[in-house]
Amino acid sequence: MRIIPQPKEVHTLPDIIRLQEYRVDSTHFHDRLDTIEKHLTDILGKKPVKDSGILIHILKNDFMKTEEYKLSVIENSIGIAASTYTGVFYALQSLRQMVVSKDKEETIIQCGIINDFPAFEWRGLHIDVCRHFFSIEFIKKQLDLMALYKLNKFHWHLTEDQGWRIEIKKYPKLTSHAGWRKEKDGTVYGGFYTQKEIKEVVAYAEKLSIDVIPEIELPGHAQAALSAYPEYSCTGMEMEVWNDWGVSDEVYCAGKDSTFEFLRDIIDEVCELFPSKYFHIGGDECPKTRWKECPDCRKRIQEEDLKNEEELQSWFIRQIEKHLLSKGKALIGWDEILEGGLADTAVVMSWRGIGGGVAAVQHGNQAIMTPWANLYFDKRPFPEDKKVNLPILSWEDVYKYNPIPEELNTEQRKLILGAQANIWTEHIYTENEFEYMLIPRIFSLSEIVWTTDENKDFESFKSVIEKHLKYLRESGYDFESYRQQVIDKIEVKNEEY
């Protein structure tokens, strides 16, 4: 039996358990017993029965790592040992993958012993809901998928030039106005999440041992927000939510003190919604056109004894870093935050290649690897998909990636927190198209962030992909209908491409 992600140690036994009734004995996990039993009921298809059937024994072992677990499925018992609820939860996900079949009468489970823990702390998935918006229920569905494959960081990209997606009560026009854009054909497109909905998702993710990290873009990618509050731009001129892809020149004014008051107010409300210690501020692709022309920004450069606009951006981000630190948050930014000088405690998300991550850890900062060439899931997953002019990134390509750059020494390697895949949605319009872009590449993502390179086994991994596709198909994930549409279009209407 092959488990995804690859366990550190697997002993497969030739027999199976035929489970008809079971009971749960939990030692020192009583505060989470209801949640554990709900997961078990979902996995096994039946509720535990008192004093009967197979015993599932859950033991707390304080000597194990935070996310480590031991799962033993043998004879008339299922044993789980872990030091935290997260370890127990991951054991349950492996148990889910060991279910051979289930019906109303019985559940058949493959026997085996697994000792398991992840190679990386950060095992992430990024979803852009700004270019194209997805419902709360769809987000929860993707969290379920993340949990099954032991991904633990959901990076929620909530603001952009093309739309603002999170309710900020102090600034209601961010959703009433900036949450909607007028498309080039005259239609209006948009949506946003209320604070109540945000809390609902965060609570749902917490039960799946997933940390939700918000991204509030600054100083660039800000035209949607500035369309609602143009006084925080350099020009103060009225503008609309941007209805094009790419990057707008409209950015937050670095010379006005009121800009930072506005952003601190937003950050304060967002911090109340997300308990994560991490806060992503973007920091990427910030055009300097407006700053070069803005008298307030020129004055700021002079007053702060800065050399140029790159150092102004670094100064801007340091102001935000100070406020986030006062809220107990760690700042994450895309690798452009290196330009002009890296903030002392910032975590760098390296997307333009591995160079940003290398530079960050050599500076003594932590880094998360998410290079465009290896982990951007908006690339085409199959050669027959010619919808957009982007390179092909197959699940095999993702599997080959190692998040640790070879040039780092032993101490520097410890500063690589892990990796994540990013899904940008300029060209992803529907839910089934999204799942087509994610599955099966999420299998490979899970493998590279859970398993060290030397422990990977490609043939074993490849042999179970169809089994996992079958499971997801039966669980309601639609990753095939869009691919068939693409194939049909290529075969019948090839001239359209």
Side-chain angles (χ1 to χ4, degrees):
M1 171 63 185
R2 175 67 164 83
I3 303 295
I4 299 176
Q6 171 70 52
K8 298 290 180 182
E9 182 180 344
V10 177
H11 305 287
T12 300
L13 305 181
D15 55 330
I16 57 176
I17 286 180
R18 292 184 176 273
L19 182 150
Q20 294 177 321
E21 294 179 338
Y22 72 96
R23 60 191 176 96
V24 180
D25 175 26
S26 177
T27 305
H28 301 303
F29 284 105
H30 297 297
D31 58 327
R32 305 301 295 266
L33 189 56
D34 286 348
T35 301
I36 290 169
E37 288 188 348
K38 285 179 182 178
H39 286 301
L40 281 167
T41 300
D42 178 58
I43 293 166
L44 303 175
K46 48 181 68 66
K47 293 182 179 180
V49 178
K50 186 177 181 180
D51 298 328
S52 63
I54 303 293
L55 173 65
I56 299 180
H57 184 66
I58 303 173
L59 174 69
K60 194 174 195 304
N61 183 337
D62 290 327
F63 294 99
M64 300 178 79
K65 298 176 182 178
T66 301
E67 297 181 295
E68 182 179 4
Y69 68 90
K70 182 173 182 179
L71 173 63
S72 173
V73 183
I74 185 170
E75 296 179 355
N76 293 318
S77 68
I78 298 172
I80 295 173
S83 64
T84 63
Y85 165 77
T86 296
V88 173
F89 179 78
Y90 290 153
L92 294 177
Q93 301 317 301
S94 290
L95 181 65
R96 185 189 299 274
Q97 296 183 41
M98 295 172 75
V99 172
V100 177
S101 66
K102 66 181 179 181
D103 56 34
K104 292 181 180 180
E105 301 301 323
E106 68 176 7
T107 300
I108 300 175
I109 309 170
Q110 177 69 51
C111 289
I113 299 172
I114 302 171
N115 296 312
D116 202 10
F117 58 89
F120 293 102
E121 170 190 340
W122 190 288
R123 307 183 301 280
L125 179 67
H126 159 286
I127 300 178
D128 163 26
V129 295
C130 299
R131 276 66 174 223
H132 286 98
F133 183 73
F134 297 99
S135 70
I136 287 294
E137 291 309 312
F138 183 76
I139 294 296
K140 287 181 179 179
K141 187 182 178 186
Q142 306 318 307
L143 291 172
D144 289 337
L145 185 63
M146 289 178 62
L148 177 59
Y149 295 103
K150 302 183 179 76
L151 302 180
N152 68 341
K153 304 293 183 185
F154 171 42
H155 176 175
W156 206 354
H157 190 86
L158 292 165
T159 72
E160 259 300 341
D161 290 317
Q162 294 86 1
W164 185 282
R165 304 291 178 226
I166 178 172
E167 177 189 23
I168 302 297
K169 293 184 176 179
K170 189 167 184 177
Y171 299 101
K173 288 193 292 184
L174 286 173
T175 46
S176 65
H177 179 85
W180 308 88
R181 67 174 180 260
K182 187 176 182 180
E183 301 284 38
K184 293 177 181 178
D185 65 1
T187 61
V188 176
Y189 182 89
F192 65 91
Y193 307 109
T194 66
Q195 293 196 3
K196 181 180 178 181
E197 289 174 322
I198 295 284
K199 291 178 182 177
E200 181 184 333
V201 169
V202 170
Y204 189 85
E206 192 271 337
K207 292 181 180 179
L208 301 175
S209 291
I210 294 173
D211 190 21
V212 185
I213 296 92
E215 181 175 353
I216 305 297
E217 278 271 16
L218 58 92
H221 290 280
Q223 182 163 328
L226 296 174
S227 73
Y229 296 94
E231 60 267 35
Y232 305 117
S233 69
C234 289
T235 66
M237 295 173 59
E238 291 188 6
M239 63 190 82
E240 296 298 324
V241 178
W242 213 31
N243 64 359
D244 205 350
W245 308 138
V247 181
S248 167
D249 284 338
E250 304 304 334
V251 302
Y252 291 115
C253 180
K256 298 174 182 175
D257 291 338
S258 60
T259 298
F260 295 95
E261 181 180 350
F262 174 69
L263 291 172
R264 285 192 293 267
D265 288 342
I266 290 170
I267 288 170
D268 288 349
E269 287 199 34
V270 175
C271 286
E272 288 296 316
L273 300 173
F274 294 90
S276 171
K277 76 173 184 177
Y278 295 105
F279 194 110
H280 205 299
I281 56 88
D284 61 311
E285 299 177 323
C286 178
K288 310 301 190 295
T289 305
R290 296 288 184 256
W291 287 357
K292 290 178 180 179
E293 301 167 349
C294 174
D296 292 318
C297 291
R298 306 310 305 165
K299 182 179 179 183
R300 181 78 75 186
I301 289 173
Q302 184 178 13
E303 289 177 345
E304 298 296 333
D305 195 25
L306 305 174
K307 294 179 182 178
N308 49 38
E309 289 75 23
E310 283 68 32
E311 288 197 2
L312 179 60
Q313 175 168 315
S314 177
W315 179 87
F316 192 117
I317 290 172
R318 288 176 192 274
Q319 307 316 302
I320 301 301
E321 179 196 31
K322 290 176 186 176
H323 188 65
L324 286 172
L325 288 172
S326 76
K327 307 294 290 185
K329 303 291 186 180
L331 180 150
I332 303 177
W334 302 106
D335 56 51
E336 284 94 334
I337 66 173
L338 286 156
E339 298 167 2
L342 182 60
D344 294 338
T345 65
V347 179
V348 172
M349 195 165 272
S350 187
W351 77 273
R352 292 180 293 181
I354 66 172
V358 171
V361 301
Q362 289 176 343
H363 188 269
N365 293 55
Q366 293 177 319
I368 300 158
M369 305 307 290
T370 176
W372 181 83
N374 309 93
L375 292 175
Y376 266 49
F377 283 10
D378 44 312
K379 288 185 174 183
R380 295 183 292 150
F382 301 103
E384 63 266 29
D385 182 351
K386 301 184 187 301
K387 177 183 174 183
V388 294
N389 186 26
L390 287 172
I392 298 164
L393 181 68
S394 68
W395 64 264
E396 294 96 334
D397 296 328
V398 176
Y399 182 89
K400 294 174 186 175
Y401 177 64
N402 181 359
I404 300 292
E406 292 181 358
E407 56 263 53
L408 300 182
N409 63 38
T410 301
E411 290 304 309
Q412 290 167 344
R413 292 180 177 212
K414 295 176 183 178
L415 294 174
I416 300 293
L417 294 180
Q420 79 175 28
N422 298 330
I423 301 185
W424 301 97
T425 60
E426 286 95 335
H427 306 290
I428 300 175
Y429 297 85
T430 62
E431 294 180 356
N432 67 335
E433 186 177 358
F434 182 96
E435 291 180 353
Y436 156 81
M437 302 296 278
L438 184 58
I439 302 168
R441 292 188 289 192
I442 192 173
F443 303 160
S444 301
L445 170 65
S446 172
E447 189 77 355
I448 65 174
V449 292
W450 189 276
T451 307
T452 56
D453 218 37
E454 59 269 22
N455 288 331
K456 286 158 66 175
D457 183 341
F458 180 74
E459 291 304 319
S460 176
F461 174 80
K462 183 179 178 181
S463 70
V464 296
I465 283 183
E466 185 49 47
K467 173 192 173 182
H468 285 266
L469 291 176
K470 180 176 183 292
Y471 176 81
L472 295 181
R473 195 180 297 120
E474 292 171 350
S475 301
Y477 289 89
D478 182 6
F479 48 89
E480 293 176 321
S481 64
Y482 180 78
R483 184 180 183 187
Q484 190 58 51
Q485 293 170 24
V486 172
I487 293 171
D488 289 345
K489 287 181 179 179
I490 291 172
E491 292 174 347
V492 179
K493 301 179 180 179
N494 192 51
E495 70 277 4
E496 294 185 4
Y497 294 87

